[in-house]
Amino acid sequence: MKGLPDLDNCIGCGVCIEVCPVKCLSFYKDKDGFAQIIGDVDKCIQCNKCERLCPILTNSSDRKHFEQSDIIVYACKHKDPKLQKRSSSGGFFVALCSSLFSVYGDNLTVYGAAMQADFSVQHIAATSFSDISQFVGSKYLQSDISSVLLPIKENLNKGRIVLFSGTPCQIAALKSYLGKEYTALYTCEVICHGVPSYLHFEKQNNYFAQKYDAKVVDIQFRSKFICWTIPTTKYTFSDGKVRYFRMEENSFMNSFYEGLNLRCSCYNCRYSSIPRQADITMGDFWGIGKSSNFSLFAKERGISLVLCNSEKGKTLFQKAQLLLDYELRTIEEAIKGNVHLIRPVENKLLYRKQLLSDLYSFSIEEVMRNFPIRSAKKSLGLLMGHRCLKLYYYIKEILRK
């Protein structure tokens, strides 16, 4: 236990908690709202199993995964415009799950992140396609995977097909926990920007609840209310009203995008690199260039970026492609729009320290006055309003062509 990563390096995956034979480890939230590990030293039997299976202390990389030049890159969208628009990007994961359930049926279990009623995020199991809706959409909070690790191992040992979706560090944690390669395990990772502070998230929700005299009951972190490329968060309140906030109007989301309120380990993430951790990497195809397959209106609804990082990844995409409009792109273009494929978010240490200190000490109104500082471009965007921003997006795309 004493050799586990410190607070600056722990990724909060929970593998150590799950493997401890005497259950002397548990989660707690630190003052900044991040899940950390605490142990009962008197209860520890010094077996060191937690250290041996910690993904940070072991090398869980998969040598079967492709180097950069061998990765196959696709831009794609679901053929159903409604499913495309409902997804955070282009609907690739929905197409993949639909295809896999049609092939494997009851022998498939999909694990993914689902928002709970209390706004915690837990990894849960889906054994039918109807359950997949819980996984649709981005959740910009850390998900707890510890409770699904043992069921995944049991399902694999029974010969069931398992698809696990998570962040790159969660993929690494699962592989470290399993300890060996399973032919029936398929993995999908999201391109991760980092894990933001839950304290900041709670304070933002409380601020909106007080401002509008109604409790926040549902959040869609990535709404396409304006369009795919302009970040908007949808809040549903207990009085039935729905409100949309761009990142400039939302301290939590703005600080997340600016990289100011993230977990310490995210700034030196070893998994923001190639070769990737998972068979498939999924994300938004930001900055996609000219395309003969995707119209302006298709781009408005979102385009998925998919990287096939292994032979398994190629197999997964082949199974999903009947439900997709897709085309080959280059890895260089993918990296240009998603730099976190090859490097972690920049650590703005002084701004981060001040922001988290203010969150702990002051109200969200006071925090919003100071962080982050709005650029002239962002201020202009606020003045333009939703309709003007949408018109601006159309004009910009037309001129690009």
Side-chain angles (χ1 to χ4, degrees):
M1 182 201 300
K2 292 181 179 179
L4 286 175
D6 59 21
L7 299 185
D8 289 342
N9 293 289
C10 174
I11 60 176
C13 66
V15 166
C16 56
I17 295 174
E18 182 59 31
V19 301
C20 178
V22 294
K23 302 303 177 187
C24 69
L25 297 167
S26 60
F27 277 126
Y28 77 97
K29 274 196 170 59
D30 66 18
K31 67 180 181 66
D32 297 324
F34 297 105
Q36 305 289 3
I37 306 297
I38 190 170
D40 184 340
V41 178
D42 294 332
K43 199 174 178 181
C44 178
I45 59 174
Q46 303 297 322
C47 68
N48 292 328
K49 194 173 183 180
C50 56
E51 296 175 28
R52 293 199 308 271
L53 294 181
C54 171
I56 294 298
L57 301 178
T58 60
N59 182 11
S60 59
S61 61
D62 194 329
R63 294 180 181 178
K64 295 181 180 179
H65 285 187
F66 299 153
E67 296 295 332
Q68 181 169 318
S69 59
D70 298 319
I71 293 173
I72 301 173
V73 179
Y74 292 100
C76 62
K77 68 176 183 66
H78 203 292
K79 288 183 176 180
D80 184 337
K82 292 181 180 178
L83 291 176
Q84 178 196 8
K85 191 169 184 179
R86 195 180 305 160
S87 303
S88 290
S89 50
F92 166 75
F93 188 68
V94 175
L96 175 61
C97 292
S98 177
S99 301
L100 291 181
F101 274 113
S102 67
V103 173
Y104 298 115
D106 294 341
N107 198 41
L108 170 69
T109 304
V110 178
Y111 292 88
M115 183 79 80
Q116 306 302 300
D118 61 355
F119 293 123
S120 64
V121 183
Q122 301 282 332
H123 260 63
I124 62 171
T127 54
S128 68
F129 180 67
S130 61
D131 297 330
I132 294 301
S133 60
Q134 300 174 87
F135 305 151
V136 174
S138 301
K139 289 94 178 170
Y140 292 144
L141 294 168
Q142 183 161 21
S143 176
D144 181 4
I145 66 169
S146 59
S147 64
V148 301
L149 293 172
L150 180 58
I152 289 173
K153 191 171 189 175
E154 290 174 342
N155 277 329
L156 289 169
N157 287 334
K158 291 175 184 176
R160 290 182 59 82
I161 307 296
V162 169
L163 175 66
F164 180 87
S165 170
T167 61
C169 63
Q170 289 175 332
I171 304 295
L174 173 62
K175 290 180 179 179
S176 184
Y177 172 80
L178 293 175
K180 69 174 186 178
E181 179 76 16
Y182 284 89
T183 304
L185 173 65
Y186 296 89
T187 55
C188 291
E189 65 183 11
V190 294
I191 301 173
C192 184
H193 180 73
V195 175
S197 160
Y198 197 83
L199 172 66
H200 199 173
F201 173 74
E202 283 187 317
K203 283 213 165 189
Q204 185 68 68
N205 285 0
N206 292 338
Y207 168 74
F208 284 144
Q210 291 172 6
K211 182 176 181 179
Y212 298 108
D213 195 27
K215 187 179 179 182
V216 176
V217 295
D218 188 52
I219 299 173
Q220 184 181 352
F221 289 98
R222 285 272 307 282
S223 166
K224 297 173 183 175
F225 175 65
I226 301 176
C227 64
W228 169 54
T229 58
I230 300 176
T232 309
T233 304
K234 175 184 176 182
Y235 285 79
T236 303
F237 292 84
S238 55
D239 59 4
K241 292 184 178 179
V242 175
R243 293 180 173 89
Y244 297 86
F245 300 95
R246 279 169 283 158
M247 67 177 190
E248 297 87 356
E249 304 167 290
N250 185 325
S251 173
F252 169 75
M253 291 301 297
N254 206 354
S255 298
F256 171 70
Y257 285 123
E258 293 287 339
L260 299 179
N261 61 355
L262 306 182
R263 189 183 184 96
C264 279
S265 58
C266 297
Y267 297 106
N268 57 9
C269 177
R270 66 167 66 177
Y271 309 113
S272 296
S273 60
I274 293 175
R276 303 296 301 172
Q277 291 295 311
D279 299 310
I280 287 278
T281 300
M282 311 175 292
D284 299 275
F285 210 129
W286 300 126
I288 184 172
K290 292 182 179 180
S291 169
S292 57
N293 286 349
F294 307 125
S295 67
L296 171 60
F297 295 104
K299 288 183 180 180
E300 181 199 352
R301 289 189 292 266
I303 303 296
S304 290
L305 168 65
V306 176
L307 275 57
C308 299
N309 303 313
S310 67
E311 292 298 329
K312 280 185 176 182
K314 289 165 64 176
T315 299
L316 288 176
F317 192 86
Q318 288 167 3
K319 291 184 185 302
Q321 65 186 18
L322 288 177
L323 298 176
L324 299 169
D325 294 321
Y326 63 94
E327 64 184 21
L328 284 166
R329 309 295 290 199
T330 67
I331 186 64
E332 290 77 17
E333 184 184 20
I335 292 172
K336 186 177 180 181
N338 287 275
V339 296
H340 302 315
L341 286 170
I342 59 170
R343 66 171 182 263
V345 66
E346 178 187 355
N347 188 356
K348 302 171 183 176
L349 183 61
L350 293 178
Y351 285 110
R352 178 186 184 274
K353 185 177 180 180
Q354 187 61 55
L355 171 67
L356 294 179
S357 175
D358 285 359
L359 281 174
Y360 187 66
S361 306
F362 303 115
S363 67
I364 198 70
E365 294 97 323
E366 293 171 288
V367 173
M368 288 175 71
R369 280 197 286 268
N370 299 314
F371 294 95
I373 300 170
R374 288 180 189 158
S375 65
K377 185 177 179 181
K378 289 181 179 180
S379 298
L380 178 61
L382 279 176
L383 292 172
M384 288 173 69
H386 297 159
R387 290 183 177 85
C388 289
L389 268 179
K390 201 162 192 174
L391 178 62
Y392 164 76
Y393 169 78
Y394 284 136
I395 293 172
K396 185 178 72 171
E397 289 296 311
I398 291 168
L399 290 175
R400 281 181 64 186
K401 292 188 174 184

